[in-house]
């Protein structure tokens, strides 16, 4: 059992944030049990603060780590509002990995994923270095662009409808840097990463919601218009703040941001008579000003009780509205339209049970259920374990976020190789 680390052990600050680490193999969605995880302050990497061991789901217990005062993240400050920790992961048969600079904010749970390369697989995983958060570090401002892209030019390729992609291909650099790597990233994981890199998880929920909508709409505009592929590139979007939005390879995300993304991931922002998702510009509103959403300004509006859509209308105009994608790529079958719970029955329940049973082969903490199309207590108990493992509210009912998380994990465990 992991011990709890109290703030007084390393700092005088009374604030702390939670950290939970998930370890999988790079060969697929295979959790690694028995991995040793060591935690140290980035400033003192040789002083081990805590050592954890992963369970059958490849996860550590939640450990509480000292963090700076909450106020540092609630208004612009020269003080860094998060603590940085180094996480060293070792497991028999795998190459060790060090994550440098995992960011812990006060009063929120940080989720740090780590993928390990088997020793038998060629190629050495480099240590992961997480740079400064965009609201604290120094990054180039976004180059202004039109929010609606022309789609009638000769040779222009656009999709016929808005589809949520299973993956986006992220170019980790400016578009012209041919030496920068490309990463296949699941769409929802990409949005969670960007939101955790662009705003603070300590902000009001309505502010986080509004910013996620802007991030998703921006991303789906790039997907829908095939923006970079039309220019001869083989990626969907870049990690450069000058051209797109910040994505950081290997960074931690935050539980509240993760859940919000799972709840609204099929949404984007539209204007009447415009088919494409709007390229929703945004900036911090302090060092850089722009014609779109101000991140700090949206935080203050959230403080004043503005809803997410009131924040969107404040910055983008009253004709902006939430739209929903026609289809979700890579998902075996769509959301049934209602929550599955004890007493539910039929084909959707059967499909969900069969997917859970396949997932349980990789995650044995999830009990096997009778795949009979009837949602009984046994199924509810298995769903509750699934929700605990994958960071969802443990209701035992399959709501919208749980349905699609089951579908995504099922696709992940059923597919060994990365897409071509």
């Amino acid at each position: 059992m992991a011990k709890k680390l109290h703030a007084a052990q390393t700092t005088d600050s009374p604030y702390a944030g939670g950290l939970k680490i998930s370890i999988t193999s790079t060969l697929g969605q295979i959790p690694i049990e028995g991995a040793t995880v060591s935690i140290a302050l980035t400033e003192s990497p040789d002083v081990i603060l805590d050592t954890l061991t992963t369970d059958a789901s490849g996860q550590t217990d939640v450990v509480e780590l000292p963090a700076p005062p909450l106020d540092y993240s609630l208004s612009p400050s020269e003080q860094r509002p998060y603590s940085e920790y180094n996480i060293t992961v070792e497991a028999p048969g795998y190459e060790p990995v060090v994550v440098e600079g995992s960011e812990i904010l006060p009063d929120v749970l940080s989720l740090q994923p780590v993928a390990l390369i088997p020793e038998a697989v060629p190629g050495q995983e480099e240590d992961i270095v997480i740079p400064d958060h965009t609201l604290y570090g120094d990054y180039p401002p976004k180059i202004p662009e039109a929010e609606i892209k022309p789609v009638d030019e000769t040779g222009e390729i656009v999709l016929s409808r808005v589809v949520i992609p299973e993956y986006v291909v992220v170019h980790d650099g400016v578009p012209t840097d041919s030496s920068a790597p490309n990463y296949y990233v699941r769409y929802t994981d990409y949005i969670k990463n960007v939101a955790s890199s662009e705003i603070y998880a300590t902000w009001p929920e309505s502010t986080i919601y509004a910013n996620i909508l802007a991030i998703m709409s921006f991303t789906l505009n790039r997907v829908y218009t095939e923006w970079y592929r039309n220019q001869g590139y083989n990626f969907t979007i870049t990690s450069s703040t000058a051209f797109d939005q910040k994505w950081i390879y290997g960074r931690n995300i935050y539980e509240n941001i993760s859940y919000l993304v799972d709840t609204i991931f099929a949404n984007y922002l539209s204007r009447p008579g415009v088919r494409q998702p709007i390229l929703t510009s945004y900036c911090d509103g302090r060092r850089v000003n722009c014609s779109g959403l101000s991140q700090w300004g949206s935080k203050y509006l959230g403080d004043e009780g503005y809803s997410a859509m009131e924040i969107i209308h404040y910055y983008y105009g009253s004709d902006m509205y939430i739209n929903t994608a026609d289809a979700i790529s890579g998902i075996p079958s769509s959301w049934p339209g209602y929550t599955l719970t004890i007493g539910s029955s039929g084909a959707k329940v059967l499909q969900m049970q069969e997917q859970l049973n396949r997932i349980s082969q990789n995650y044995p903490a999830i009990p096997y259920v009778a795949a009979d199309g009837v949602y009984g207590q046994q199924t509810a108990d298995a769903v509750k374990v699934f929700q605990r493992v994958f960071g969802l509210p443990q209701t035992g009912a399959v709501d919208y976020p749980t349905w699609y998380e089951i579908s995504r994990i099922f696709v992940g465990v059923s597919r060994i190789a990365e897409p071509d």
Side-chain angles (χ1 to χ4, degrees):
M1 178 65 67
K3 67 180 180 180
K4 297 298 183 182
L5 179 66
H6 298 289
Q9 289 179 257
T10 61
T11 177
D12 293 332
S13 170
Y15 293 91
L19 173 64
K20 185 176 185 179
I21 302 154
S22 300
I23 314 297
T24 56
S25 169
T26 56
L27 292 184
Q29 189 104 23
I30 303 170
I32 299 176
E33 183 178 9
T36 300
V37 180
S38 302
I39 301 172
L41 276 167
T42 300
E43 299 96 297
S44 305
D46 296 329
V47 180
I48 303 302
L49 303 176
D50 212 341
T51 301
L52 314 173
T53 303
T54 55
D55 60 18
S57 301
Q59 299 179 340
T60 67
D61 292 323
V62 174
V63 61
E64 296 292 321
L65 295 169
L70 180 62
D71 287 349
Y72 288 2
S73 63
L74 300 183
S75 60
S77 171
E78 297 304 315
Q79 301 289 334
R80 191 180 67 200
Y82 50 87
S83 297
E84 293 184 333
Y85 291 88
N86 284 9
I87 299 167
T88 302
V89 182
E90 299 174 303
Y94 291 87
E95 299 287 352
V97 170
V98 177
V99 179
E100 298 181 16
S102 192
E103 299 170 358
I104 302 298
L105 285 162
D107 297 347
V108 291
L109 177 60
S110 169
L111 307 173
Q112 178 66 66
V114 182
L116 299 186
I117 296 178
E119 289 176 344
V121 176
Q124 173 69 43
E125 173 69 69
E126 294 183 0
D127 291 342
I128 296 166
V129 179
I130 300 173
D132 288 334
H133 194 282
T134 58
L135 292 177
Y136 179 71
D138 186 18
Y139 292 90
K142 176 76 174 68
I143 299 169
E145 287 184 51
E147 68 170 27
I148 299 170
K149 299 301 182 187
V151 295
D152 56 353
E153 298 175 12
T154 302
E156 185 93 21
I157 304 170
V158 295
L159 301 178
S160 59
R161 59 178 180 162
V162 178
V163 174
I164 301 299
E166 184 181 358
Y167 286 89
V168 291
V169 182
V170 185
H171 184 69
D172 198 11
V174 299
T176 55
D177 182 1
S178 60
S179 67
N182 289 344
Y183 294 99
Y184 281 87
V185 185
R186 293 186 188 280
Y187 174 76
T188 50
D189 290 342
Y190 170 79
I191 299 299
K192 294 172 184 180
N193 184 304
V194 171
S196 297
S197 301
E198 289 278 3
I199 58 174
Y200 292 136
T202 53
W203 288 2
E205 183 175 284
S206 62
T207 296
I208 296 174
Y209 183 5
N211 278 268
I212 289 172
L213 281 170
I215 290 166
M216 293 192 301
S217 192
F218 186 105
T219 305
L220 290 177
N221 183 276
R222 290 289 195 240
V223 172
Y224 180 85
T225 61
E226 303 266 47
W227 181 250
Y228 286 108
R229 295 187 189 280
N230 287 333
Q231 299 174 51
Y233 297 115
N234 61 344
F235 49 82
T236 313
I237 200 163
T238 77
S239 65
S240 167
T241 58
F243 293 88
D244 295 293
Q245 46 200 4
K246 195 60 184 171
W247 174 87
I248 297 171
Y249 176 74
R251 74 152 297 133
N252 59 301
I253 62 171
Y254 299 96
E255 183 183 51
N256 58 334
I257 287 176
S258 176
Y259 182 68
L260 264 181
V261 172
D262 286 337
T263 303
I264 63 172
F265 75 95
N267 293 343
Y268 60 94
L269 295 171
S270 284
R271 293 200 191 278
V274 180
R275 177 181 293 179
Q276 64 183 267
I278 302 302
L279 190 82
T280 37
S281 63
Y282 59 88
C283 55
D284 73 350
R286 181 175 71 99
R287 291 171 296 183
V288 177
N289 292 307
C290 60
S291 60
L293 179 145
S294 160
Q295 292 165 319
W296 280 114
S298 70
K299 188 270 175 186
Y300 299 138
L301 291 179
D303 289 341
E304 294 175 12
Y306 279 57
S307 69
M309 280 313 297
E310 286 171 338
I311 293 172
I312 293 296
H313 289 157
Y314 183 91
Y315 287 108
Y316 298 113
S318 59
D319 66 336
M320 191 80 90
Y321 67 96
I322 295 177
N323 211 333
T324 303
D326 295 332
I328 299 164
S329 175
I331 299 299
S333 182
S334 63
W335 161 243
Y338 55 91
T339 297
L340 301 179
T341 189
I342 291 177
S344 300
S345 61
K348 293 289 187 179
V349 173
L350 176 61
Q351 176 194 331
M352 181 270 297
Q353 290 171 326
E354 290 174 339
Q355 291 181 353
L356 266 184
N357 285 340
R358 174 60 188 87
I359 293 167
S360 72
Q361 294 177 29
N362 288 45
Y363 291 85
I366 300 170
Y368 184 87
V369 301
D372 56 7
V374 178
Y375 204 118
Q377 188 61 52
Q378 181 193 46
T379 298
D381 291 342
V383 168
K384 192 171 292 187
V385 175
F386 174 90
Q387 291 169 326
R388 174 178 61 78
V389 170
F390 293 101
L392 297 164
Q394 297 171 47
T395 62
V398 179
D399 56 5
Y400 182 90
T402 303
W403 172 271
Y404 279 110
E405 190 66 11
I406 290 173
S407 295
R408 280 193 289 266
I409 300 301
F410 170 74
V411 169
V413 300
S414 302
R415 177 193 294 133
I416 298 301
E418 285 286 88
D420 294 329

